[in-house]
Structures are given as C-alpha cells and as structure tokens.
C-alpha cells in the first residue's frame, strides 16, 4: 500500500472541530476523491495526513499516516514529506512563494538537493505551457497559468502521490479543463496516486477510483467509482456536494422596469490600455444581469469601471438617477470590513439603514447574535461572504455589482447566496454579477453578456450556459 | 555591461553609505559624492527610475529651508529682497547635501544595476545569507504587488462606504490595516505551509562565493574611494 492512513482523532489547536476515525488506503496509481460541504474537515484531513497539523501547526493528531512506509506524523517522517508528496492548494496566490515561474518550480528541487535543476525546471515549464515565461513576474500570469504552475511545481520532483485541495475553486471552466487534462496526463496517466479534495465532485467523478464523503469530521460514505449510482449522487447532493451540471428552468420573466444604467461605446482598461472595447450594455430595474467570460477577460474591470473605481478609456456610462446608488462587492469579502468587531459593522448599518433593517438581519441570520464580539475577519468563509453582502444591502443601493460571489462556496452556501440575491431583487434593486459559474445563469440570470476576444455582447441564457458548461469538457 | 553579481553592488552601496556616515570632512566626501551621483543619475534616468532624483531634489530643498530657518548666520552671501541667505546656511546645506549625494548616488547605481530576484539569489550564494532571510526577501517581492492590489481594493471600498481614504486619524489607519493584515496573514499562512510541504526545512545553505574580475574591480573602486577620502581627511 502506498498510502495507509488511520487518523483516529485530529484537531487544530484551540478549535472545537475534530476529525475522527478517517481511514484511507491507496495503492500506486490510485485516486480518491474526498467530497463534503465547507467545514466538513476536508482540508484538515490533508493537513493531518501530511503531518503539517501536528508538526507545524501545533495541532493534535492521533493515529498514523504512512506514505511509502514513512509515518509523516512523526517528526523524522515529516522531514520526508516533500519527497513523498506533491501538493496543489486551493488558491495559487496562497501557494506560489517565489517571484517567477522558474524560481517557483526550482524551489522544491533546490530544497531536495537535485543536481539537474535547470534541465528539470525548463522541461516541466515547457510541458505545462510556460516556456518563454520562465522569468516573467508571477503577477503577469493569468489565473490558468498560475494554476498550471502550481501543478508543475507539485510534480517536478516526481513524488509518488499528489494531493489536490479544491484545485478548481478559483478558476474558470477552461482552467478546470486544463486541470483535468494535466491530472489525466501527468498524475493518473503516469501512475501517480492522488487524493483530490473538492466540493465540485462533478469535475473529478470520471477521473478517480473511489469517492469518500466527509461530514462533520467523519467519513459518512465511500464508494468505488464503479458502484457510484444515481442514488449515491443524490445522497452526495443532499450533503452539499455539487455533482451535476445546472439545468436552465425557464421561469416567467421578472417584472423588470425601465433602464437605469446604460453604457454606450464604452472601452475599459488600465492606464489607457483597452481590455474590452465598444461595450453597449444596459441594466433595468429589478433585473439580474450576468457577465460571463474567462478569467482575465475583463469582467472585474468592467464592474469596477461601472462602480467608478476605474475611469473609462472611452465611451460613456449613463445612469437614470442623478446620484446613482451603486455598490460593488469584491470577490474577497475581507476587503469589505472596516471595523474591529461584527457588532461595529452592524452599528454602522444601523446608522445608515435603521432599526428595522437590523431586526431583519437578525431574523434572517440568528447565528449572528453569538458572533457580535468577533472580528469579521475571523468568521468562516460563508459567514464573511454573507456579512459582506449584507453590508452592501445596508447601503441601500439601486444597483449591486457582485464580483464572482459564488467562488469557493459549497452547494449549501451557494444556495444561501442565491437566496440573498433573490431577496434583494424583490427589494426592487438590480444586480450585475460577473461570474464564470454556470449555475448563476441557470438560477438567477434575466440576461447574459458574454466577454470574448476583447468584446462584450448579449447572448441568450441557453447560449451562455452552454458556453460555460462546454468549457470544462 | 560586464557581469557583476548583485551582491557585489550591494557591498559597494554598503561601503559608500558607511563612508557617507563616517567621514566628517566635506572635502573628502566630495570625491565619492560627485562621481557616484553623476553615474547613478545617468543610470537611473536611462532606466526611467525617477523616484531617486526627485527624492534627492526634495531632500535638498528641505535641507536648504531648514538651514535658512535654523542656522542662517555668518556673512551674507545672497540677498533676495528681504531674504538674506548667510554663509552658514549655505555651508550647512552643502555639508548634508554631499552626504545625501553619496548615499543617493550609490543607491541609484544599485537599483539600476540589479534585478531584485537576482539580488536575493546572489545574496544567498555570494554572501551566505541565511535561508530564512532569503526566503523572506523572495516572498516580499512576491507579496508586494498583491498587497498593493489589496490596498487599492480596500481604499475603494472605504470610499464606497463613505469613509475617508486619506489616513488622517488612527481609526482610519486601523480600518485599512485590519483587512490588509487579515488578508496578508491568511496568504502568508498558506504560503508557509506550501513551502514546508516542498521541503523548505531540508534546504541547505547555498553559500558558494564565486567572483569575477569585474566584481573585484567594483569592490576595488569602493576601497580606492575609501582610501583616498581617508587620506584627504588625514592630510587636512
């Protein structure tokens, strides 16, 4: 057995969450998909089985985790972790430590004392489509390129097992397609074992040998892939795992009002350099407009230009209201918080929106009462996202601009966000969403704009959905 | 330009800066100040690095104002309407300007001749910089653009929420620092884990000093300037 892990108990220091009785065993070339909703213990499992939790983070882990016969939970075994394991983390910007692709890939080789560093580094960068970009600043790489770089860095030293922690969380469908391609060619295709932690199971079901469902820190179910049937998929879905492609249900069109925002021949970009040209775009009252496009296509730049954070390169933005009330919610909710306590954030909203609004918030989210003295930055990812959206709502905007609001959310949290958006549309607001998540079109969109080849055009919901869904296949 | 290791330019700048702080004679300091400043200025302007020349001009202007306000005595040298500029104010300006010229000149040469990535590698290999420090410097290079992005996002959200974007009072600073630090800590936490999982603890010190003739010439130039400056000090 290449991997033989038996963790009877694992816990972060000072945390109440406990991972219990998780047993995993993999032979050479085998792949396991670990699924479960946010907070079920997927990442804790990876940290525990690599020995990071007890050796680096002062957590407690009971049991053993042997890879290639080496118990990584012991300090001596943990010294071998880099030789035995390659790791791809959720967010490339939280993994890449070096300033250029060459340095990033050669980092692990230098650490492990390889002699053929230059040759290996150049070869792997070439294989992952990064030849010619060896010494380019990481900031100049696209999201997909950064993701490729993290996979290249994980396998360059030929470890027998690769661990993936939500590798599709921050990338568009084309990035997902690349991850799947490299997984097929360089992981399973070369006989490497792998453990993939994901809540978007649909991207990996056809690539793995076994599916394991984690819930509240314990394994609830496991199936060999040949035994996965419709009933099991439904079971996974009930437990917050995304297993299916979205289905567009044509509901009667919302009663939208007059146009409140319009752009005419708008060109957007940075420092006078256009990214998207000739944009004719409109938003009506009580309407949800979704702007789709690949990572780096200019969706965020578009929202920021509408919000007034960036100046248009050319063209005009016309608002129906004299003083348009627009609120932009960035992808990272942490940017939204100004105060040291949740309570102070709510006090701020109280001043702006009054008592009734605050009462409404508490009735929608009673759990908030127990977190009032906490820093907003210490809330869970889902809670931070919810609070950021609620702050935006408290400012009573007529148009809310949401940048990738569903990134990194499991099915349950995703449904909360969708519900939140429906609520604010009922409050007679309009919403513009920049996203590459096909579910957003299926569940929310009234109209869709597609950004492609530096142009933006309106497309049908069906076309937009198909465009995104085909992307990863 | 022949190949000179970044660590050599680092040593050169360090020697020039030390000279600027230790030599008390302005005449002696003129020798390193003038050629270093001229060379640095030419290199900076060629690379379009305008920050140092502008900072230098501002510093000299501030020095001059300071001297006129606080040490304006001695013989009158320049009379402009009611303003009389006396010898001591000019002399005081000159003394400090020469020091700043030496430091700025060396700094301009340094930043024009190196790229930050090569500097870190060179500091580790040529000077035996500890791996933790070299990693921290590399990480800083990686994180500075990300933190700049974070900062702009935070300022925009503050503006949107009706808060000041100019940081006037401590609560303004806290309001910006909190999200900046929260995002930064989270990033650093995961990057640290990723580095350890890629064998950072096994990394060996990569001290392998190899210098070319050009490196030796640059160091020799720094030593020669030091010797001549010291000689002038002793002769006076």
């Amino acid at each position: 057995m290449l991997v033989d892990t038996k963790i009877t108990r694992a816990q972060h220091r000072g945390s109440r969450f406990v991972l219990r009785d998780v047993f995993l065993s993999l032979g050479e070339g085998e792949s396991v998909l670990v699924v479960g909703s946010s907070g079920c213990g997927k990442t804790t499992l990876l940290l525990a089985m690599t020995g990071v939790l007890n050796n680096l983070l002062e957590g407690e882990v009971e049991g053993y985790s042997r890879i290639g016969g080496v118990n990584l939970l012991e300090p001596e075994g943990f010294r071998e972790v880099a030789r035995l394991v390659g790791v791809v983390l959720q967010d490339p910007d939280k993994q890449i430590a070096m300033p250029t692709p060459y340095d990033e890939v050669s980092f692990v080789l230098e650490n492990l004392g390889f002699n053929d560093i230059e040759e290996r580094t150049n070869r792997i960068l070439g294989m992952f489509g990064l030849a010619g970009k060896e010494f380019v600043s990481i900031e100049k790489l696209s999201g997909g390129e950064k993701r490729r770089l993290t996979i290249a860095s994980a396998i360059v030293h030929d470890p027998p097992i690769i661990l993936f922690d939500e590798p599709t969380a921050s990338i568009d469908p084309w990035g997902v397609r690349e991850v799947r391609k490299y997984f097929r060619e360089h992981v399973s295709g070369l006989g490497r074992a792998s453990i993939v932690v994901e809540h978007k199971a649909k991207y990996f079901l056809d690539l793995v040998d076994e599916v394991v469902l984690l819930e509240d820190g314990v394994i609830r179910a496991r199936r060999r892939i040949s035994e996965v049937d419709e009933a099991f998929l439904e079971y996974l879905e009930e437990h917050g795992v995304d297993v299916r492609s979205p289905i567009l249900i044509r509901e009667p069109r919302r009663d939208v009002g007059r146009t409140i925002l319009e752009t005419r021949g708008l060109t957007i970009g940075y420092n006078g350099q256009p990214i998207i040209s000739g944009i004719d775009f409109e938003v009506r009252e009580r309407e949800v407009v979704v702007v789709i496009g690949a990572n780096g296509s200019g969706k965020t730049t578009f929202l920021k230009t509408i919000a007034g954070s960036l100046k248009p390169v050319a063209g005009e933005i016309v608002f129906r209201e004299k003083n348009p009330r627009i609120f932009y919610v960035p992808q990272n909710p942490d940017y939204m918080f100004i105060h040291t306590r949740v309570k102070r954030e709510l006090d701020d909203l109280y001043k702006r929106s009054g008592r009734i609004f605050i009462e409404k918030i508490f009735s929608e989210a009673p759990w908030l009462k127990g977190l009032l003295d906490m820093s907003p930055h210490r809330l869970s990812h889902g809670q931070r996202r919810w609070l950021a959206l609620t702050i935006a709502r408290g400012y009573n905007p007529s148009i809310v601009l949401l940048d990738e609001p569903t990134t990194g959310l499991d099915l349950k949290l995703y449904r909360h966000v969708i519900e939140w958006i429906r609520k604010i549309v009922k409050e007679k607001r309009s919403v513009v969403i920049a996203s590459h998540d096909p579910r957003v079109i299926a569940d929310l969109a009234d109209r869709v704009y597609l950004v492609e080849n530096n142009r933006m055009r309106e497309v049908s919901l069906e076309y937009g959905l198909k465009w995104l869904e085909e992307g990863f296949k | 330009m022949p190949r000179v290791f970044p660590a050599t330019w680092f040593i050169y700048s360090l020697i020039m800066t030390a000279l600027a702080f230790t030599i008390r004679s302005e005449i002696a300091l003129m020798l390193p100040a003038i050629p270093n400043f001229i060379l640095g200025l030419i290199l900076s302007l060629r690379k379009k690095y305008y920050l140092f020349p502008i900072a230098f001009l501002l510093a000299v202007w501030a020095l001059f104002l300071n001297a006129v306000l606080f040490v304006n005595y001695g013989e009158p040298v320049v009379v402009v309407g009611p303003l009389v500029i006396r010898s001591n104010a000019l002399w005081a300006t000159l003394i400090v300007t020469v020091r700043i010229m030496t430091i700025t000149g060396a700094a301009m040469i340094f930043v024009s001749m190196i790229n930050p990535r090569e500097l870190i590698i060179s500091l580790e290999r040529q000077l035996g910089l500890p791996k933790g420090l070299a990693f921290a410097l590399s990480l800083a290079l990686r994180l500075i653009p990300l933190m700049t992005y974070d900062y702009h996002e935070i300022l925009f959200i503050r503006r949107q929420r009706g808060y000041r974007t100019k940081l006037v009072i401590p609560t303004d600073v806290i309001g910006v620092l909190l999200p900046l630090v929260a995002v930064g800590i989270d990033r650093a936490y995961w990057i640290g884990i990723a580095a350890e999982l890629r064998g950072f603890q096994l990394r060996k010190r990569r001290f392998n000093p190899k210098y070319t003739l050009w490196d030796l010439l640059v160091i020799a130039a720094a030593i020669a300037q030091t010797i001549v400056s010291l000689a002038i000090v002793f002769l006076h």
Side-chain angles (χ1 to χ4, degrees), chain A residues 436-451:
Chain A
H436 46 62
D437 185 343
R439 299 172 299 178
V440 174
I441 295 182
D443 293 334
L444 278 174
D446 290 311
R447 287 186 305 118
V448 175
Y449 284 86
L450 167 66
V451 183

Side-chain angles (χ1 to χ4, degrees), chain B residues 6 31 45 72 75 87 89 94 116 128 135 153 155 171-172 193 196:
Chain B
L31 176 79
L45 295 179
N72 196 13
E75 292 299 311
S87 59
L94 181 72
F135 179 70
E153 287 285 285
L155 284 193
T171 48
D172 298 339
I193 287 174
E196 287 296 345

Side-chain angles (χ1 to χ4, degrees), chain A residues 52 93 171 281 293 303 385 388 427:
Chain A
V52 168
D93 277 335
I171 49 177
F281 173 90
L303 291 193
R385 174 80 65 197
E427 289 169 359

Side-chain angles (χ1 to χ4, degrees), chain B residues 23-69:
Chain B
I23 301 275
R24 313 305 300 171
S25 158
E26 305 70 40
I27 307 290
L29 214 49
M30 289 276 191
L31 176 79
I34 294 170
N36 276 293
F37 186 77
I38 293 172
L39 181 63
L41 192 64
I42 293 168
L43 292 171
S44 275
L45 295 179
R46 265 176 53 187
K47 287 216 163 186
K48 297 184 179 168
Y49 294 164
Y50 301 121
L51 183 68
F52 277 105
I54 291 169
F56 172 77
L57 290 174
L58 287 174
V60 172
W61 178 241
L63 271 174
F64 175 68
L65 288 180
N66 199 45
V68 169
L69 284 172

Side-chain angles (χ1 to χ4, degrees), chain A residues 57 82 93-94 96 98 103-104 110-111 135 139 304 308-309 328 335-336 339-340 345 348 352 395, chain B residues 117 142 145 149-150 153 156 159-161 163 178-179 182 186 189-191 197-199 202-203 206:
Chain A
L57 304 179
D93 277 335
K94 290 181 187 170
I96 299 171
M98 294 289 129
D103 295 315
E104 180 65 15
E110 287 170 354
N111 292 343
F135 298 106
E139 291 325 296
K304 284 183 175 174
S309 169
Y328 164 74
Y335 297 139
M336 287 286 289
H339 300 290
T340 49
E345 291 288 354
D348 195 32
R352 286 169 203 282
Y395 278 71
Chain B
R117 175 189 163 269
R142 164 89 183 99
Y149 177 84
D150 295 339
E153 287 285 285
F156 177 64
R159 201 169 80 205
Q160 222 180 198
R161 292 188 61 180
Y163 286 86
L178 268 180
D186 187 42
Y189 174 86
W190 285 107
I191 286 179
L197 284 171
R198 287 189 293 151
L202 302 175
R203 192 179 183 86
R206 296 191 299 163

Side-chain angles (χ1 to χ4, degrees), chain A residues 63 95 246:
Chain A
Q95 170 165 2

